Amino acid sequence: MTMSQTKETLTAAGAAEFESAVSARNISKNYGEVEALRDMSLEFPRGQLTSLLGPSGCGKTTLLKIIAGLLEPSSGEIEVNGKRVTGPGPDRAFVFQDFALLPWATVLRNVAFGLEMRGVAASEREARAEKYIKEVGLAGFENSYPHELSGGMRQRVGLARALAVDAQVLLMDEPFSAVDEQTRRKFQEDLLQLVQNENKTFIFVTHSIEEAVYVSDQIAILLPRPSRVSEIIRPSSFRNKGVDNIRRDPEYLDIVDEIWASLRSYVE
Amino acid sequence: MPNRALFLKLLSAAILFGAWEVAGRIPVSFAFPTFLESMRALFAMTLDGTIFTAYAETLKPLAIGVAISAVLGIAIGLWVGLSNTFDWLFSPIFIVMQAAPLAALIPLLVLAYGIGLTSKVLVVCIMAMPVIVLNTSGAVRNTPESFKEMGRSFLASETSIILRIIIPAASPVIFAGLRLGISAGFIGAILSELKITPTGVGDIITYSRSIADYPSMYAAIFSIILLAVLFLNLLEKIEVTLFKGNQRDYVSN
């Protein structure tokens, strides 16, 4: 079975079963001579978390930034809720790998940044920012500056900023890669809660196989040179068994092994 | 520990002035007065008002020149930093200005603009502006890419990205440029009074030297340095108030 056949059958199955919040259609991206993405198509089911997983250089962050409207595809198109993406929009919010917090602004102002740019009045945006600061567990740090917080806390600020604008689609670019292992596990558990509680579509870029299998409803394995979707995996049985049981579930362990087997040859 | 900082500053001043006093007493030169003699002369000039009349004159080109350099310098710097075209167009001018031997160019300025205020303001600007422009444009160009991406993804307009992200992010380096530029402006103001027409503080320096009243001469030099230091401290206060979180960068994890 060739790769392209795999891709076609899987995306067809995905489209039939789920309503897509975000569709990527035949996306290509070239940087001069370098081909970052070639003819990539992928569906992102509404209300679920889809991970883009792959070795470095497979174009997963590029695809995410194209969905965000931060990069223009060389060809192809992105649709969010049936509308074609031409740039950043209020239906999408981004969580950055390096947090991208403004160091001269307090936690409150950082979280309220998106609302401020949308022209929400000061009192209302502060109230909403405070609500989300509490929700990510940073109550009491409203007036702290980013440099006074730990790495994990800073990413919580980044997450609160993205939640505060109440976009339907949350784009997360390796959000937990710059925090320590324990904080990361806590984040992953919180993320599962968040997917369950918020009716949002999550697109999550990661290079950690375990992380992808742990948090995702759907995992798209991307392979480099040229970049393509090689496989789509939808874990089924362990999602509802509770956060403590996922890591010893046989299906979880099998999927992790399976993914490693297919990625192994691409890692130098 | 502000007390410790203050103590160290006072200690540093005491060592400097002590060395000056000793050097004056040896003496290293007939034309080099002691610290105490100079302070006595400064006190006398303060009492009879000479120093205030002098500064009324000197501050004119200094204040105008520094104000123009700061406002125009930051504006041009932003422009140059945001656009490659203006970078190629303007940067060479300011690099040449910064490297030019100004004292040698003063006769040209006098020829073109006379011996009045205009020439003196220009000297202050030529001294102060290049470093302000070059620092501002460099800082603007080096705004972290992820800050700008963050702004765009949260729907900030081009203007908001400049005002809310690029300028605050560049502010530490812009202020460093202002500090250097304004110090250079002080030098420029005195240089113009020594080289164009002796007025104000430059007049005290020139006149005192001609009558061998070295304590007064050094008192005048000391006073301009003191004024510059006070002004730079004020600038630092402004920076700290405006951009509080910038004081320290991110701590590492």
Side-chain angles (χ1 to χ4, degrees):
Chain A
M1 192 164 67
T2 67
M3 285 298 180
S4 66
Q5 275 170 337
T6 319
K7 191 185 76 184
E8 272 162 29
T9 44
L10 282 165
T11 46
E17 256 176 89
F18 305 97
E19 189 199 350
S20 291
V22 178
S23 318
R25 298 214 182 99
N26 311 102
I27 297 291
S28 298
K29 177 71 183 172
N30 303 316
Y31 292 103
E33 293 288 288
V34 183
E35 201 171 34
L37 296 175
R38 182 199 282 173
D39 197 25
M40 188 180 276
S41 295
L42 195 55
E43 300 292 324
F44 299 88
R46 186 183 307 282
Q48 300 196 355
L49 190 149
T50 301
S51 292
L52 304 174
L53 175 66
S56 49
C58 72
K60 48 196 195 295
T61 294
T62 305
L63 180 62
L64 194 74
K65 286 189 173 167
I66 290 174
I67 296 172
L70 292 170
L71 288 178
E72 285 233 26
S74 306
S75 68
E77 59 175 28
I78 302 285
E79 267 185 14
V80 176
N81 295 322
K83 275 196 300 191
R84 194 184 165 163
V85 165
T86 51
D91 47 6
R92 284 152 289 147
F94 206 101
V95 178
F96 291 84
Q97 181 178 12
D98 65 352
F99 322 131
L101 302 179
L102 305 176
W104 56 88
T106 59
V107 167
L108 187 68
R109 278 194 55 207
N110 267 298
V111 172
F113 183 83
L115 298 169
E116 192 182 342
M117 293 304 119
R118 281 163 170 76
V120 178
S123 58
E124 194 198 328
R125 68 171 183 254
E126 276 174 20
R128 273 166 71 179
E130 271 166 16
K131 179 185 153 216
Y132 283 101
I133 291 169
K134 211 167 285 162
E135 202 172 300
V136 299
L138 284 179
F141 291 97
E142 287 84 355
N143 295 314
S144 304
Y145 287 93
H147 68 77
E148 297 165 332
L149 306 178
S150 69
M153 290 160 90
R154 284 182 218 159
Q155 192 54 296
R156 286 177 187 278
V157 178
L159 186 60
R161 177 176 59 194
L163 290 173
V165 296
D166 201 21
Q168 294 110 300
V169 180
L170 230 59
L171 308 168
M172 308 175 94
D173 182 15
E174 300 192 27
F176 310 149
S177 65
V179 302
D180 62 86
E181 179 58 26
Q182 288 135 49
T183 312
R184 189 173 178 142
R185 284 198 169 211
K186 185 76 179 69
F187 264 125
Q188 293 165 357
E189 292 181 6
D190 291 353
L191 184 61
L192 284 179
Q193 280 293 312
L194 206 62
V195 178
Q196 213 155 50
N197 298 340
E198 304 264 343
N199 186 27
K200 294 184 194 306
T201 306
F202 292 75
I203 304 178
F204 186 92
V205 166
T206 182
H207 56 248
S208 158
I209 299 172
E210 283 84 0
E211 180 168 271
V213 180
Y214 187 85
V215 300
S216 310
D217 298 299
Q218 168 178 296
I219 305 158
I221 314 275
L222 272 56
L223 290 180
R225 290 179 294 269
S227 233
R228 63 199 186 274
V229 180
S230 82
E231 211 176 334
I232 291 175
I233 299 174
R234 303 188 55 87
S236 56
S237 69
F238 56 79
R239 185 60 53 223
N240 298 317
K241 290 184 179 170
V243 288
D244 298 326
N245 299 318
I246 296 178
R247 282 198 178 84
R248 47 174 180 235
D249 189 277
E251 190 193 357
Y252 168 86
L253 296 168
D254 285 349
I255 294 176
V256 169
D257 272 357
E258 188 191 320
I259 295 175
W260 173 233
S262 58
L263 290 185
R264 177 185 271 139
S265 59
Y266 290 91
V267 180
E268 288 94 36
Chain B
M1 289 211 285
N3 281 334
R4 189 179 151 79
L6 183 68
F7 172 74
L8 286 176
K9 277 182 191 169
L10 288 176
L11 183 68
S12 151
I15 292 173
L16 181 69
F17 297 146
W20 181 356
E21 183 67 24
V22 171
R25 275 174 197 269
I26 291 175
V28 288
S29 154
F30 164 69
F32 190 68
T34 67
F35 172 67
L36 290 175
E37 280 169 353
S38 305
M39 287 307 104
R40 223 171 289 133
L42 185 61
F43 189 64
M45 284 193 288
T46 313
L47 273 190
D48 68 12
T50 327
I51 200 88
F52 298 112
T53 348
Y55 271 103
E57 202 56 46
T58 303
L59 282 179
K60 258 185 271 170
L62 181 61
I64 297 172
V66 163
I68 292 176
S69 304
V71 174
L72 209 62
I74 291 177
I76 295 175
L78 278 175
W79 209 10
V80 168
L82 291 171
S83 141
N84 279 334
T85 319
F86 284 103
D87 182 20
W88 295 325
L89 200 61
F90 280 117
S91 282
I93 300 177
F94 289 101
I95 292 168
V96 168
M97 249 166 96
Q98 196 178 30
L102 183 60
L105 294 179
I106 285 180
L108 273 178
L109 285 175
V110 173
L111 209 64
Y113 299 101
I115 56 167
L117 191 60
T118 319
S119 290
K120 290 180 182 170
V121 169
L122 273 175
V123 171
V124 175
C125 286
I126 292 174
M127 287 294 285
M129 209 140 85
V131 65
I132 298 177
V133 172
L134 296 174
N135 267 37
T136 305
S137 64
V140 165
R141 200 161 304 120
N142 287 323
T143 310
E145 199 52 45
S146 74
F147 282 8
K148 287 186 271 183
E149 279 190 339
M150 191 281 289
R152 284 173 55 213
S153 73
F154 284 96
L155 305 180
S157 62
E158 283 296 312
T159 327
S160 290
I161 289 179
I162 294 173
L163 292 178
R164 302 302 181 82
I165 293 175
I166 293 178
I167 293 181
S171 71
V173 182
I174 295 179
F175 271 95
L178 276 178
R179 275 194 289 277
L180 291 171
I182 290 173
S183 325
F186 273 78
I187 298 172
I190 300 303
L191 189 69
S192 73
E193 288 185 330
L194 294 176
K195 291 277 175 186
I196 299 176
T197 41
T199 51
V201 180
D203 181 37
I204 299 183
I205 296 173
T206 317
Y207 178 72
S208 312
R209 188 172 51 198
S210 70
I211 60 166
D213 179 6
Y214 297 113
S216 294
M217 176 181 154
Y218 278 89
I221 296 172
F222 177 82
S223 72
I224 192 87
I225 295 171
L226 185 69
L227 189 68
V229 169
L230 289 177
F231 193 82
L232 293 181
N233 269 311
L234 176 72
L235 193 70
E236 205 177 309
K237 291 267 182 330
I238 295 174
E239 182 185 359
V240 170
T241 333
L242 281 180
F243 303 103
K244 209 166 159 228
N246 261 350
Q247 270 178 82
R248 254 176 299 166
D249 216 325
Y250 287 149
V251 288
S252 59
N253 291 327

